[in-house]
Amino acid sequence: MGLFSIRRRNILPGFGLSMGYTVFYLSAIVIVPLSMIFFNTVPMGWDPFVHAVTAPRVLASYKLSFSTAFFAAVFDAVAGLLTAWVLVRYRFPGKQFLDALVDLPFALPTAVAGICFATLYSPVGWLGATLTRWNIEIINSATGIVVALVFIGFPFVVRTIQPVLEEVEQEIEEAAHCLGATRWQTFRRILLPHLFPALLTGSTLAFARGIGEYGSVIFIAGNLPMKTEIAPLMIMSKLDQFDYAGASAVALVLLLISFSMLLLLNAIQEWQQKEYR
Amino acid sequence: MGIELQNITKKFSGYTALDNISLNVASGELVALLGPSGCGKTTLLRIIAGLELPDVGKIILENKDTTNLPPREKNVGFVFQHYALFRRLTVFDNVAFGLKVLPRKDRPNRKEIGDRVEHLLKLVQMDWAIKRYPSQLSGGQRQRVALARALAVNPKVLLLDEPFSALDAKVRQELRRWLRKLHDEIHVTSIFVTHDQEEALELADRIVVINKGRIEQQGTPQEVYDHPKNAFVYNFLGNVNVFHGRIKNGKVTLGSHHVDAPDELKHAEEKASQAFVRPHEIGISRIRSSETDLTGTIQEVRLMGGQIGLNLACEGFDHPIDAEIPRDLYINLELAKGDTVFVSLNRVKVFTGDYVI
Amino acid sequence: MLKQPTPETAPIVKKRVSDPLPIQMLLIGVMLLFFIGFIFLPLGLVFAQAFQKGWAFYLESITESYALEAVKLTLTTVAIVVPLNAFFGVTAAWAITKFNFAGKAALKTLLDLPFAVSPVIAGLIFVLLVGSRTPFGSWLGEHGIKIIFSTPGIVIATLFVTFPFVVRELIPLMEAQGRDEEEAALTLGAKGWQIFAKITLPNISWGLLYGMILCGARSIGEFGAVSVVSGHIRGQTNTIPLHVEILYSEYNFAASFAVASILVFLALLTVTLKVALEKQFQKNSFHH
């Protein structure tokens, strides 16, 4: 039995055709191109590969990408939970408008977000001018990168928590209430554990997206080697020097990490389904 | 012959859904496939319609082997359990669908399609809803439309999968009678699947009892009900009291009580047996009329509409016995909880074998 | 990601246990602060910057020939990418939801793969596959076909990045709808394409449109992947976001933001359409 073999003759028509096209298109657009990373890294040999991905500049870029993506994901977890809570639980004018705007970071091209934040936080910008006076530097710093990534990751957290929060049965809360729990106890002991898998899923999505993000970051980061150079930018600059093998090596590490995040996510979701069924 | 099934076997990974099923349905007959859920009855229906393929066996519809025909060439009307009405089409377009997809040369013209759809919707009393969408109809109404849609293509046979299971009790009763009447009018060979014995007994010309992929018994409702072939059929066709006992010297021992063994078991050697008595076939009396009567105490009285249910603790029996008596009798005897009464077991049905409930 | 019904659309029968008013005010306030900092200020900034040199300059910036070329290229890309990925999405969803086969879960995971790939890597892989320095790319070059640093490269990289959008909307939708209607059509004598055109396609039309809008929005705005494969040749391989970047790096801020304002407008349009479609979708799912 092959990977996609058919268990029985199918009654509805079109299986062979649709499956054939699916596999062909998936291979042509995704699998074959992605495999190029692998085929360009393997001929390097082990030592040059290790050398390429552990060069100080590369290591610094990984560290920067991970730490900024991590802090942004944590910030998004808090801001996203709060936003989802307010949008689901409270009634106030303009709520639907704000709810719709949560998706803006999905819809707004990353380059536009990038130039907006770079301009906002520039020393003469609307926010940057004040912050500079207080000696807080956002632009050309890791903080700036975090700001951009918070924007990018925000909808992931809100949109993962919202449906779960909406499904929480009111009776559960009322029951806790009747048993004498305070609002805070109910939230911490009943709701938070219930929301936790969604919160984790949402922040993992935001984190994964943050690691690979490019467009919104490069304008605000300043791209100083060893300081504010993110991993995708490392790939870009190796590519500019036609160092294809080096670019593939850096990309391979980044890919492996992203895929493990994806697998982790699947595991979380399976665990979540088991837990609540 | 309307439908002829020969040695149908179907295995899914891990279990056998249908095990060598052969069945004949005469033209114009209305047959019920009755069995517990998971017994394979729906699979059998889907196989007849061509929605599943048997591993082994033949399906002959009106003397034509259709085993390997795709569903659209079988000319079978299928009514799905959850109706499967096309949600984006109006009632009219739903019913007209089968006519509109005919090849151009066989397709009736617009007027003919319109007339036929209108006729069918009148037949199922849904002509008032011709422009509505399925979402605007109740369950019973959707079921009628689904039926009209299946009839539109003049099917050789009509197959109904649990046609009333998704409806509430009152609508179910009503629609059941109506369907019987409709069948008497149009006389299309029909099979319906159900797990509800009442439905099968009331509606069908013939009942086929299926269990674990095999046919246990088939016959008219009367035959099947009065002469169940085995413990499963007896048990499945209604509520029963089950007594585990032993058969010996032509007598069956049930607790401290003996009854005559049925003729075919008169000379059987000693072995374990089961006796079944339906609750409404238990006699309750204030006076002892026979020495085989049991003495019992009423533990519980349940009001069940026209019937009264009694839960009796009987001397010499480990488990309580359920009885059902008419309300009038209950009032005449002035029965109450705690009273001692005499219990007669009429029509005890004895089966041997390893069937376990 | 289609949202579940929100309390405004699904009527609330009972009033929920609610937080005390001061806490509500506080939380709403904090949220508003976040929205101001991360949504409203950037949006306001785009228009303030775009119009800083006046209406005339704004109009000129968005109608000069390079800008128009960029718009044209972006529209071309969208016009190719969205139908291709929509067609694929419908086909793949049909195969996955209407049939049983081994490896279905694995296939579904593979479909989401591009979401886990950095846009820069998405560009890189096509440079590695068909760039002029690769065997395949140089062979294509000898036959006069140029992919990287030209429109086909932009299209193919965008195809990769927007690959999952339509199919991941359709799979859950079609799974929920089941196979009953298709089977019913089959027993009524319909042929394959009749079932698809008359039953399946109408049933998934809103979900399909929704996926196409998300796919289109991302195609318009994709920056990282396109940036790698485009070569930034003005008037030839510049999409709107790339044009914004070039103007910005030349310190031509007013023009850069003017062009960016087109993208903001399109993003707001996307968000509005998304909300409208979600409403439509909920209405339809109630019908089921």
Side-chain angles (χ1 to χ4, degrees):
Chain A
M1 229 190 230
L3 184 59
F4 299 121
S5 69
I6 313 160
R7 265 195 219 124
R8 56 184 173 94
R9 217 183 89 190
N10 292 293
I11 298 302
L12 284 174
F15 179 70
L17 207 62
S18 60
M19 188 49 109
Y21 184 70
T22 300
V23 172
F24 162 75
Y25 192 83
L26 175 69
S27 308
I29 303 293
V30 178
I31 308 290
V32 170
L34 263 184
S35 68
M36 296 316 292
I37 298 277
F38 185 69
F39 289 125
N40 273 273
T41 316
V42 169
M44 281 177 88
W46 180 249
D47 288 338
F49 171 74
V50 172
H51 186 76
V53 297
T54 54
R57 226 176 120 180
V58 175
L59 276 186
S61 79
Y62 282 143
K63 222 177 114 193
L64 182 71
S65 278
F66 285 112
S67 53
T68 51
F70 178 78
F71 286 122
V74 171
F75 192 98
D76 276 333
V78 177
L81 180 60
L82 188 139
T83 305
W85 182 268
V86 169
L87 289 179
V88 171
R89 293 303 178 96
Y90 302 162
R91 291 155 162 269
F92 55 93
K95 179 167 126 167
Q96 271 185 299
F97 175 65
L98 292 182
D99 193 12
L101 279 181
V102 168
D103 283 325
L104 192 76
F106 273 146
L108 191 71
T110 52
V112 178
I115 62 170
C116 281
F117 287 114
T119 311
L120 266 182
Y121 290 100
S122 86
V124 295
W126 290 355
L127 295 173
T130 318
L131 291 169
T132 310
R133 223 174 297 135
W134 298 343
N135 270 330
I136 301 173
E137 190 143 337
I138 302 276
I139 200 158
N140 301 343
S141 78
T143 322
I145 300 175
V146 174
V147 168
L149 294 183
V150 164
F151 175 80
I152 295 297
F154 179 64
F156 288 96
V157 181
V158 180
R159 293 299 185 227
T160 333
I161 296 179
Q162 245 176 346
V164 183
L165 197 55
E166 270 158 12
E167 270 171 27
V168 174
E169 286 169 59
Q170 192 184 348
E171 279 87 0
I172 296 175
E173 276 174 74
E174 284 173 344
H177 220 55
C178 292
L179 293 168
T182 62
R183 287 292 297 159
W184 173 245
Q185 283 171 324
T186 312
F187 177 76
R188 204 169 58 88
R189 299 192 177 224
I190 311 287
L191 286 175
L192 207 54
H194 190 78
L195 293 176
F196 185 71
L199 192 58
L200 199 61
T201 306
S203 349
T204 310
L205 282 171
F207 179 59
R209 175 76 202 265
I211 292 173
E213 181 53 27
Y214 176 75
S216 60
V217 175
I218 51 159
F219 296 96
I220 200 170
N223 311 326
L224 310 165
M226 302 298 292
K227 286 208 179 101
T228 59
E229 206 174 35
I230 53 167
L233 190 72
M234 275 314 302
I235 298 172
M236 204 68 150
S237 65
K238 283 193 186 288
L239 207 54
D240 281 344
Q241 296 153 21
F242 300 107
D243 177 8
Y244 285 5
S248 311
V250 177
L252 182 65
V253 173
L254 213 55
L255 270 183
L256 288 179
I257 290 159
S258 300
F259 290 165
S260 3
M261 310 277 329
L262 201 70
L263 289 178
L264 183 74
L265 249 176
N266 275 343
I268 294 175
Q269 271 155 1
E270 253 166 50
W271 165 68
Q272 183 183 7
Q273 278 171 357
K274 246 183 238 151
E275 199 89 329
Y276 293 104
R277 217 168 252 174
Chain B
M1 192 60 69
I3 304 170
E4 233 180 304
L5 304 178
Q6 298 175 356
N7 312 95
I8 303 284
T9 296
K10 173 79 178 175
K11 291 188 169 85
F12 290 113
S13 54
Y15 75 105
T16 306
L18 295 170
D19 188 4
N20 197 15
I21 294 238
S22 296
L23 177 67
N24 291 330
V25 178
S27 287
E29 209 178 3
L30 177 57
V31 168
L33 297 181
L34 175 67
S37 58
C39 72
K41 54 195 193 302
T42 294
T43 306
L44 187 60
L45 204 67
R46 289 172 62 85
I47 284 178
I48 300 170
L51 293 171
E52 306 270 354
L53 290 163
D55 300 333
V56 185
K58 269 189 183 173
I59 301 128
I60 295 159
L61 300 181
E62 311 239 290
N63 304 320
K64 186 178 160 209
D65 186 348
T66 66
T67 312
N68 289 312
L69 284 186
R72 78 187 163 80
E73 286 169 33
K74 284 210 171 192
N75 198 6
V76 160
F78 199 102
V79 178
F80 289 77
Q81 187 177 2
H82 300 287
Y83 329 120
L85 290 181
F86 307 132
R87 70 193 88 184
R88 294 303 170 98
L89 301 184
T90 60
V91 166
F92 179 92
D93 286 328
N94 261 281
V95 178
F97 185 87
L99 301 170
K100 285 184 176 170
V101 297
L102 284 170
R104 198 170 294 274
K105 61 178 168 49
D106 304 327
R107 195 185 309 159
N109 65 34
R110 275 179 78 110
K111 175 145 191 336
E112 286 163 350
I113 292 181
D115 291 347
R116 175 135 183 84
V117 171
E118 212 165 301
H119 166 75
L120 282 163
L121 285 174
K122 276 211 178 92
L123 192 68
V124 300
Q125 299 156 9
M126 285 298 295
D127 46 326
W128 53 274
I130 203 155
K131 285 190 181 130
R132 302 223 178 169
Y133 283 89
S135 58
Q136 298 164 310
L137 304 177
S138 72
Q141 293 166 344
R142 288 182 207 188
Q143 187 62 287
R144 289 164 194 255
V145 175
L147 195 63
R149 183 179 71 176
L151 291 172
V153 289
N154 271 326
K156 281 186 275 193
V157 298
L158 183 63
L159 306 172
L160 305 106
D161 186 9
E162 299 269 8
F164 312 112
S165 68
L167 305 171
D168 55 52
K170 203 164 153 49
V171 181
R172 190 184 308 190
Q173 277 250 330
E174 204 181 283
L175 209 57
R176 203 146 84 190
R177 293 197 180 132
W178 171 82
L179 184 67
R180 180 68 239 187
K181 229 179 84 208
L182 184 74
H183 183 263
D184 293 340
E185 275 170 43
I186 57 177
H187 264 299
V188 56
T189 312
S190 309
I191 299 183
F192 73 99
V193 153
T194 180
H195 62 266
D196 179 345
Q197 80 281 358
E198 248 180 72
E199 204 167 284
L201 292 169
E202 181 177 334
L203 197 50
D205 295 326
R206 203 147 58 85
I207 293 179
V208 178
V209 184
I210 298 184
N211 183 36
K212 291 184 183 155
R214 290 166 172 276
I215 294 180
E216 299 277 0
Q217 186 175 4
Q218 46 176 307
T220 63
Q222 205 64 44
E223 275 168 24
V224 175
Y225 191 80
D226 290 342
H227 305 287
K229 242 185 185 164
N230 56 35
F232 173 81
V233 176
Y234 195 91
N235 185 45
F236 198 75
L237 285 180
N239 296 331
V240 280
N241 290 292
V242 187
F243 306 104
H244 297 270
R246 294 197 74 75
I247 189 163
K248 192 181 176 185
N249 301 331
K251 290 274 183 188
V252 182
T253 313
L254 306 169
S256 58
H257 188 73
H258 302 280
V259 296
D260 288 333
D263 291 343
E264 69 272 18
L265 293 170
K266 272 265 150 45
H267 306 290
E269 54 190 280
E270 179 176 348
K271 59 178 155 186
S273 68
Q274 290 170 314
F276 295 76
V277 182
R278 295 216 185 274
H280 65 88
E281 289 174 341
I282 288 176
I284 301 290
S285 169
R286 283 285 192 186
I287 35 171
R288 192 180 200 110
S289 55
S290 139
E291 61 185 57
T292 56
D293 280 2
L294 311 171
T295 315
T297 312
I298 300 177
Q299 288 188 314
E300 202 184 294
V301 176
R302 278 166 298 157
L303 303 173
M304 300 163 48
Q307 297 278 96
I308 301 293
L310 300 175
N311 189 268
L312 303 153
C314 292
E315 274 172 27
F317 286 82
D318 298 341
H319 297 289
I321 297 174
D322 277 321
E324 283 169 25
I325 58 170
R327 202 188 178 87
D328 289 350
L329 182 64
Y330 173 77
I331 293 167
N332 286 339
L333 293 180
E334 298 180 333
L335 297 176
K337 192 172 163 182
D339 286 2
T340 302
V341 290
F342 297 101
V343 180
S344 58
L345 302 181
N346 310 324
R347 306 183 51 144
V348 178
K349 188 84 188 166
V350 178
F351 296 102
T352 58
D354 48 9
Y355 174 74
V356 188
I357 291 170
Chain C
M1 244 184 271
L2 278 172
K3 283 194 306 161
Q4 302 297 313
T6 51
E8 303 95 335
T9 47
I12 303 172
V13 185
K14 281 189 286 181
K15 199 170 165 276
R16 274 184 181 273
V17 196
S18 204
D19 300 328
L21 203 62
I23 291 190
Q24 291 201 20
M25 303 288 265
L26 178 73
L27 294 185
I28 293 175
V30 174
M31 186 188 77
L32 275 180
L33 216 59
F34 181 86
F35 268 77
I36 289 169
F38 280 89
I39 308 273
F40 294 122
L41 273 185
L43 283 185
L45 180 93
V46 171
F47 292 102
Q49 293 279 329
F51 289 105
Q52 63 174 330
K53 292 192 184 164
W55 186 238
F57 184 84
Y58 177 84
L59 273 184
E60 198 201 311
S61 304
I62 61 172
T63 52
E64 54 109 8
S65 68
Y66 287 141
L68 287 181
E69 286 297 326
V71 171
K72 210 173 116 194
L73 180 58
T74 295
L75 289 182
T76 311
T77 308
V78 172
I80 300 171
V81 166
V82 174
L84 276 178
N85 277 345
F87 180 75
F88 165 74
V90 174
T91 316
W94 175 269
I96 286 172
T97 60
K98 302 294 175 192
F99 305 96
N100 296 322
F101 53 90
K104 192 188 269 198
L107 183 61
K108 278 202 236 167
T109 308
L110 284 179
L111 293 179
D112 267 347
L113 214 52
F115 277 155
V117 175
S118 167
V120 172
I121 299 178
L124 167 72
I125 56 180
F126 290 104
V127 172
L128 297 177
L129 185 68
V130 287
S132 55
R133 289 172 175 242
T134 67
F136 186 47
S138 58
W139 180 83
L140 285 173
E142 280 163 28
H143 292 77
I145 302 167
K146 197 176 169 202
I147 293 182
I148 299 303
F149 303 146
S150 84
T151 310
I154 294 171
V155 169
I156 201 168
T158 311
L159 274 178
F160 177 93
V161 172
T162 61
F163 178 88
F165 279 101
V166 177
V167 70
R168 74 173 341 215
E169 290 305 328
L170 291 183
I171 287 178
L173 180 64
M174 286 167 75
E175 261 170 3
Q177 287 177 347
R179 303 171 197 171
D180 274 9
E181 287 182 45
E182 281 81 8
E183 285 181 351
L186 208 58
T187 63
L188 292 169
K191 292 191 187 69
W193 63 268
Q194 288 173 320
I195 298 176
F196 178 75
K198 290 179 187 241
I199 306 301
T200 311
L201 202 55
N203 280 353
I204 61 171
S205 54
W206 292 118
L208 180 61
L209 191 60
Y210 187 90
M212 285 170 75
I213 286 170
L214 297 187
C215 178
R218 184 69 195 265
S219 306
I220 293 169
E222 181 47 38
F223 178 73
V226 169
S227 174
V228 175
V229 296
S230 94
H232 300 83
I233 307 163
R234 268 203 181 181
Q236 282 180 38
T237 61
N238 252 358
T239 61
I240 306 177
L242 294 180
H243 190 59
V244 169
E245 183 211 7
I246 289 183
L247 291 171
Y248 185 83
S249 61
E250 287 168 348
Y251 301 101
N252 192 351
F253 295 136
S256 173
F257 278 100
V259 179
S261 73
I262 304 174
L263 295 173
V264 170
F265 173 73
L266 288 174
L268 290 173
L269 186 69
T270 305
V271 169
T272 312
L273 283 174
K274 197 165 171 268
V275 171
L277 275 179
E278 273 159 8
K279 285 233 171 93
Q280 189 67 39
F281 198 80
Q282 280 163 13
K283 219 166 68 194
N284 278 304
S285 60
F286 283 139
H287 279 187
H288 185 46

